Amino acid sequence: MKNRIAKAELPWVEKINNDEVEGNYLTPIELELLLKCVKQSCDISRYTLISILAATGMRRGEAGGLRWSDIDFKDNLIYINRTRDFYGERSAKTLNSIRCIDMTEVLRNGVLNES
């Protein structure tokens, strides 16, 4: 099965707050605006990727390394086993990076069913 998320690129969002600690996230309003804009103007792969990042807090490289086999729809879990960066796909950097994340009902029923 083709991994459409593997080649999806994230849009650049200009942050109002440039403080490294304080500015390392989107506010709920910024996130809502981003998801609305992406859903209206981008392909389903980009929207799915951004929604997964927003709903789970996983890193971009971890999301890029996901495979359908990493998603357990029965138990609502997403398994993080690998990462993807400009060198390609590889195993997670540390043992702490290998983990499972609870999948929200919104993510399970909404975004992943649209893919």
Side-chain angles (χ1 to χ4, degrees), residues 38-51:
V38 170
K39 189 171 189 174
Q40 291 174 352
S41 62
C42 296
D43 59 60
I44 191 67
S45 297
R46 185 172 290 171
Y47 175 70
T48 301
L49 174 61
I50 293 171
S51 296

Side-chain angles (χ1 to χ4, degrees), residues 34-71:
L34 174 65
L35 289 171
K36 181 180 177 183
C37 291
V38 170
K39 189 171 189 174
Q40 291 174 352
S41 62
C42 296
D43 59 60
I44 191 67
S45 297
R46 185 172 290 171
Y47 175 70
T48 301
L49 174 61
I50 293 171
S51 296
I52 289 170
L53 293 171
T56 65
M58 76 175 68
R59 296 172 188 90
R60 179 174 56 182
E62 293 170 339
L66 282 178
R67 297 179 184 165
W68 282 112
S69 60
D70 297 327
I71 301 173

Side-chain angles (χ1 to χ4, degrees), residues 66-81:
L66 282 178
R67 297 179 184 165
W68 282 112
S69 60
D70 297 327
I71 301 173
D72 180 350
F73 288 100
K74 181 181 173 211
D75 295 323
N76 290 335
L77 296 171
I78 300 174
Y79 295 95
I80 307 296
N81 300 307

